[in-house]
């Protein structure tokens, strides 16, 4: 939700490094930003409303220098985006600075208590209470003061703090929001996301909940919040800064759409066995039996990951004959669900930090169920706290609208369904056919990407509309949901995904020339019915944009515009049909002048409720 970074060195030129680190995390939140550094026995703070660029402007006009500091890019949860509410936040003395990613759920009673003790607050934020709590408990030891302060805090946090009287000290702690320690050549870093550190180090330590790091330029120590020393493994980051660049694309989102030709293969590389028509996922090795014997599989996720989960449900029931229930994590966690000991939950999350998904996973674990993660960010909370799982290996996804992570999730789900299916009812012949079809997907996506120019042209015809309906059946129904989400989240156009058959139960009343309808009308078992649905729309004056199978002439006879995709097995079609919808949303958003990579009100990882 927000991005934090901190460093502790004996240099005096670390401000550009802190700002650069914020830029790498701008997708996490970008309504205001700030930096605080220690210099000459004081804390110098610069902060502003707006993006990192605005902060860079403030710093160029009013520079600060220092080697130990903290910085923050914000996605507002309490208090409007403003320079005053931007982090870092200070205490009454101005000697303490704190940055925070998360929510202090009990900040109101804490603030009231502190005010009765004489503290005066400058902002509307929950975070400011952390600075005053540290001040309250500070007796010359910042680490001890942070521990004492956090003992009374409820909620999610990743925080970093500095004190003017301890110029070579950086203290950070986490509970529910990610925090990583970077081992640099001339000092140490903390950050919400590896992306902020990867230019300076590839050796990192992932903190877990209720853990803390105390760092000086000469080293760091990790403890629990109760000051019990703990040893953490140093892990090596495998990707580099280049993967964070746009590589010539105008936006990260377009780059990531085009990366799918490779990333869908990365998701299953070394995991498909053509000879036996099977799939083997190392991260599930200890859970193959649990998967095969599961009487019920839950799939927990949010947003786009929920859409891939819905495809996973259709796949697992169709191919593996196991009962599956897909749940919005935010609903599941609070509705007192029935979890039977034999239940198994697949937890899908690109970031591995989505608060609702993490909490839903905890509910399953609390009630004896097994949890398997399908996660993109290595070392993320869901990856580390689940009982097992699979990385999607899509690489860093910077665009807030998820694209390559979605198709990688679907590829992994297809591999899981094949693996479990082969243990039940899928023959080796059918298994080989599925493997071959999966191996064709990357080049087929490449063919679709070659049509980008045609999609851009069609986007020009539709960019002015204010409402869209996306319709699909079977495996293409979740694709309709995903296509609609892509459009609405980056172009701010209202778009609804619906099962095509449901249109006559209400939404058909919306149909007129101002309401384009996007049909996913590929040649699958529902093809004839989809054609009828398209006719129903046309007969009411609606405009139809259809995704059709290459060479289809029937759809072209009915639709106003057609985008073709190669043919594949029905359960793999989402991997192809979604690509033109991603491109359509992208080009419409660009035509409407929207901020494609950082849409308003959104953040890449929703680490608060
Ligand atoms: C997708 O384009 C959105 N950015 C959003 O719905 C996202 O999928 C959702 O917040 C879940 O995120 P996760 O996969 O990181 O858990």
């Amino acid at each position: 939700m927000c991005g934090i970074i901190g460093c502790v060195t004996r240099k005096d030129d670390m401000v550009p490094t802190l700002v650069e680190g914020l830029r790498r995390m701008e997708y996490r939140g970008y309504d205001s930003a700030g930096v605080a550094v220690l210099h000459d026995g004081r804390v110098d703070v610069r902060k502003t409303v707006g993006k990192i660029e605005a902060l860079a402007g403030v710093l160029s006009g009013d520079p600060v220098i220092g080697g130990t500091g903290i910085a923050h890019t914000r996605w507002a949860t309490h208090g409007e985006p403003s320079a005053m509410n931007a982090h870092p936040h200070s205490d009454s003395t101005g000697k303490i600075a704190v940055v925070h990613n998360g929510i202090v759920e009990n900040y109101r009673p804490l603030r009231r208590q502190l005010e009765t003790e004489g503290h005066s607050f400058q902002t509307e934020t929950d975070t400011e209470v952390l600075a005053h709590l540290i001040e309250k408990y500070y007796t010359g030891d910042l680490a001890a003061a942070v521990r004492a302060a956090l003992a009374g805090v409820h909620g999610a946090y990743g925080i970093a703090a500095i004190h003017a009287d301890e110029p070579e000290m950086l203290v950070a702690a986490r509970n529910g929001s990610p925090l990583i320690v970077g081992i640099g050549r001339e000092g140490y870093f903390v950050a919400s996301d590896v992306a902020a550190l990867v230019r300076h180090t590839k050796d990192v330590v992932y903190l877990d909940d209720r853990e803390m790091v105390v760092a000086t330029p000469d080293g760091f120590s990790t403890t629990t919040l109760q000051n019990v020393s703990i040893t953490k493994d140093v892990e090596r980051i495998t990707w580099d800064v280049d993967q964070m660049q746009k590589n010539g694309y105008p936006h990260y989102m377009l780059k990531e759409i085009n990366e799918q030709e490779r990333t869908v293969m990365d998701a299953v590389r070394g995991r498909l066995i053509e000879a036996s028509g099977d799939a083997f996922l190392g991260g599930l090795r200890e859970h193959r039996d649990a998967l095969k014997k599961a009487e019920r599989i839950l799939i927990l996720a949010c947003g786009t990951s929920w859409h891939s989960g819905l495809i996973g449900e259709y796949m697992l029931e169709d191919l593996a004959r196991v009962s599956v229930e897909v749940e919005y994590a935010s609903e599941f966690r609070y509705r007192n669900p029935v979890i039977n000991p034999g239940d198994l939950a697949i937890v899908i999350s690109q970031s591995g930090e989505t608060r609702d998904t993490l909490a839903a996973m905890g509910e399953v674990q609390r009630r004896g169920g097994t949890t398997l993660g399908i996660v993109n960010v290595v070392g993320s909370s869901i990856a580390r706290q689940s009982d097992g799982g699979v990385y999607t290996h899509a690489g860093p996804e910077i665009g807030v609208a998820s694209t390559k992570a979605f198709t990688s999730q679907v590829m992994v789900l297809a591999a899981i369904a094949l693996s479990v299916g082969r243990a039940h009812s899928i023959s080796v012949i059918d298994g080989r056919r599925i493997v071959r079809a999966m191996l064709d997907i990357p080049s087929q996506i490449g063919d679709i990407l070659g049509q980008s120019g045609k999609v851009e042209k069609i986007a020009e015809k539709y960019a002015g509309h204010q409402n869209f309906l996306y319709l699909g059946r079977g495996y293409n129904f979740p694709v309709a949901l995903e296509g609609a989400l892509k459009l609405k989240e980056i172009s701010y156009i209202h778009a609804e995904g619906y099962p095509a058959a449901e249109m006559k139960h209400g939404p058909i009343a919306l149909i007129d020339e101002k309401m384009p309808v996007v049909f996913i009308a590929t040649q699958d078992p529902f093809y004839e019915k989809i054609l009828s649905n398209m006719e129903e729309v046309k007969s009411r004056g609606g405009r139809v944009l259809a995704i059709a199978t290459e060479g289809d002439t029937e759809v072209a006879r009915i639709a106003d515009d057609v985008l073709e995709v190669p043919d594949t097995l029905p359960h793999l079609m989402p991997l192809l049909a979604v690509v033109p919808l991603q491109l359509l949303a992208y080009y419409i958003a660009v035509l409407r002048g929207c901020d494609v990579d950082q849409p308003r009100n959104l953040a890449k990882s929703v680490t608060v409720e």
Side-chain angles (χ1 to χ4, degrees), residues 571-595:
H571 78 283
L572 300 178
M573 181 50 77
L575 292 157
L576 304 181
V578 76
V579 177
L581 300 184
Q582 294 168 342
L583 289 167
L584 180 70
Y586 170 78
Y587 287 119
I588 287 177
V590 169
L591 286 165
R592 291 170 71 104
C594 296
D595 190 338

Side-chain angles (χ1 to χ4, degrees), residues 205-209 211 220 222-223 230-234 384:
V205 167
Y206 293 94
L207 288 188
D208 285 303
D209 283 350
E211 293 181 352
F220 70 96
T222 48
T223 69
I230 47 178
T231 304
K232 306 291 287 183
D233 295 336
V234 176
R384 291 204 316 287

Side-chain angles (χ1 to χ4, degrees), residues 1 4 10 23 51 118 128 159 173 192 236 239 274 286 350 358 372 375 379 386 414 465 493 501 578 598:
M1 192 59 93
I4 66 176
R10 291 197 176 90
R23 282 203 175 91
K51 295 188 174 181
E128 193 184 352
I159 71 163
S192 312
R236 186 95 178 135
W239 47 270
E274 187 164 356
E286 290 87 45
Q350 187 286 129
L358 199 54
L372 302 177
V375 176
S386 53
H465 287 281
I493 293 172
V578 76
Q598 297 171 4

Side-chain angles (χ1 to χ4, degrees), residues 302-305 348-352 354 357 400-402 409 482 485-486 489 603-604 606:
C302 300
T304 283
S305 297
I348 305 174
S349 176
Q350 187 286 129
S351 63
T354 300
T357 308
V400 166
S402 190
Q409 289 166 355
E482 176 60 12
L485 175 61
K486 286 293 94 57
E489 69 175 328
K604 182 64 180 174
V606 184

Side-chain angles (χ1 to χ4, degrees), residues 485-502:
L485 175 61
K486 286 293 94 57
L487 185 69
K488 70 182 120 186
E489 69 175 328
I490 64 173
S491 71
Y492 317 143
I493 293 172
H494 173 249
E496 257 187 289
Y498 241 87
E502 275 296 298

Side-chain angles (χ1 to χ4, degrees), residues 53 56 90-91 110 129 155 197 271 279 311 314 331 338 400 418 479 503 545 550 595:
E53 216 38 57
S90 303
D91 66 321
L110 288 172
V129 297
L197 305 176
R271 295 169 164 171
I311 295 167
Y314 286 37
E331 285 297 305
V338 172
V400 166
L418 172 60
V479 180
M503 185 184 61
L545 166 55
E550 258 166 15
D595 190 338

